[in-house]
Structures are given as structure tokens and as C-alpha cells.
């Protein structure tokens, strides 16, 4: 499967939400991206969940609101996807727990299973999912997937 095509499909499926909240999405992709053996629907769900969380993190944000997605091949046989937003960022005490089940920043509107499930799906594909964030400057979720032999 093509990782760039999957990311564009996820963006297409989210277009109404992105438009409603006036979020601009930019996708940057390296050259000669190899095909991957993956469950495309599962990985698309990961991308969409992270994008939805980014939209939610930017609800109180003034404009412009953006999500930047980059896809690149790393030297160690891995593909890396980075999904960044310019939202509020993640509280430092939450960073340690954000991938734990039932941890949410959405109060009554969140179940706290999305990122836990995302991490499980990425790990089941032989990859890793992590986040970097600075308060007031947004968050970047990264995941890697192995390139097929």
C-alpha cells in the first residue's frame, strides 16, 4: 500500500470536519516512497484519529489553524509519518500518560481510547508511536512503520 495515498484518503474523509473548523492541511512527502505491507484501513484510522485530536486541540485557537503531515523514509528501513498541529500543546504531566487507556483531555466528550488503540495498531504493524509537544506551540505525533523486504 502507498502511505502517501493513505494519508490523502484520510484527509479526504476528514474534509468536512477540516472545513468546518477552518483547518488547513499540508502534506509533504519525500521522493521514491516504497509501498508498505499494512492494513491500510487500520493505519488510515490512526491518521484520522490523530488529525481529529489535532482539530480538537485547535478549537480555542485563533486562525490560522493547520495540520502539517510529513512522510519520509528513515535510514533504518522505516517510514516515518509526523502529524503536527499549532494547537495548545499537551500538558507535561499528561505527556507520560497520553497513550494509556481512558486518559482524555476532552472531558465528557472523550473516552480516552483513541491514542491507546492507535499505539496498539502501530505496534502490531512493527512500528512505534510517540508524541512531542511544547505548551502553546502545538504537538507532533510521530509513527514509524517498517518497509517491506
Amino acid at each position: 500500500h502507498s502511505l502517501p495515498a493513505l494519508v490523502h484518503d484520510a484527509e479526504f474523509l476528514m474534509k468536512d470536519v477540516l472545513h468546518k473548523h477552518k483547518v488547513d492541511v499540508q502534506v509533504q512527502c519525500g521522493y521514491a516512497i516504497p509501498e508498505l505491507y499494512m492494513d491500510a484501513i487500520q493505519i488510515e484510522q490512526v491518521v484520522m484519529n490523530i488529525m481529529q485530536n489535532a482539530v480538537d486541540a485547535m478549537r480555542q485557537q485563533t486562525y490560522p489553524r493547520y495540520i502539517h503531515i510529513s512522510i519520509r523514509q528513515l535510514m533504518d528501513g522505516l517510514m516515518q509519518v509526523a502529524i503536527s498541529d499549532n494547537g495548545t500543546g499537551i500538558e507535561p504531566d499528561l505527556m507520560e500518560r497520553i497513550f494509556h487507556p481512558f486518559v482524555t483531555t476532552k472531558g465528557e466528550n472523550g473516552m480516552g481510547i483513541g491514542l491507546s488503540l492507535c499505539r496498539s495498531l502501530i505496534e502490531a504493524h512493527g512500528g512505534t508511536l510517540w508524541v512531542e509537544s511544547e505548551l502553546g506551540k502545538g504537538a507532533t505525533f510521530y509513527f514509524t512503520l517498517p518497509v517491506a523486504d
Side-chain angles (χ1 to χ4, degrees):
H1 293 281
S2 163
L3 202 47
L6 181 147
V7 167
H8 284 292
D9 287 349
E11 180 185 0
F12 177 78
L13 291 169
M14 299 266 319
K15 74 180 186 313
D16 292 341
V17 170
L18 296 166
H19 179 73
K20 176 182 175 189
H21 295 285
K22 298 178 175 68
V23 176
D24 183 42
V25 177
Q26 300 159 337
V27 179
Q28 180 182 0
C29 189
Y31 294 101
I33 300 294
E35 296 279 308
L36 301 180
Y37 290 114
M38 62 182 160
D39 184 317
I41 292 172
Q42 289 181 356
I43 302 305
E44 190 174 90
Q45 285 297 314
V46 169
V47 172
M48 289 174 60
N49 185 276
I50 294 170
M51 289 176 71
Q52 181 63 59
N53 288 349
V55 170
D56 293 341
M58 292 185 284
R59 283 182 197 251
Q60 310 304 324
Q61 178 89 5
T62 56
Y63 302 102
R65 296 174 182 168
Y66 65 83
I67 296 172
H68 182 262
I69 303 172
S70 68
I71 304 165
R72 65 189 186 111
Q73 187 166 5
L74 303 178
M75 298 304 279
D76 52 1
L78 295 172
M79 294 300 303
Q80 182 186 72
V81 177
I83 304 172
S84 303
D85 65 63
N86 66 329
T88 55
I90 301 166
E91 296 285 342
D93 64 318
L94 184 60
M95 290 284 289
E96 298 298 317
R97 303 176 294 120
I98 198 158
F99 294 103
H100 294 182
F102 310 114
V103 172
T104 182
T105 60
K106 299 177 189 178
E108 296 294 315
N109 297 322
M111 292 187 293
I113 58 172
L115 287 174
S116 174
L117 181 60
C118 287
R119 180 173 264 181
S120 295
L121 291 172
I122 293 297
E123 289 175 352
H125 281 79
T128 308
L129 171 65
W130 72 97
V131 64
E132 295 175 4
S133 178
E134 188 176 339
L135 274 181
K137 299 199 177 185
T140 302
F141 283 82
Y142 298 89
F143 68 86
T144 59
L145 294 170
V147 174
D149 294 330

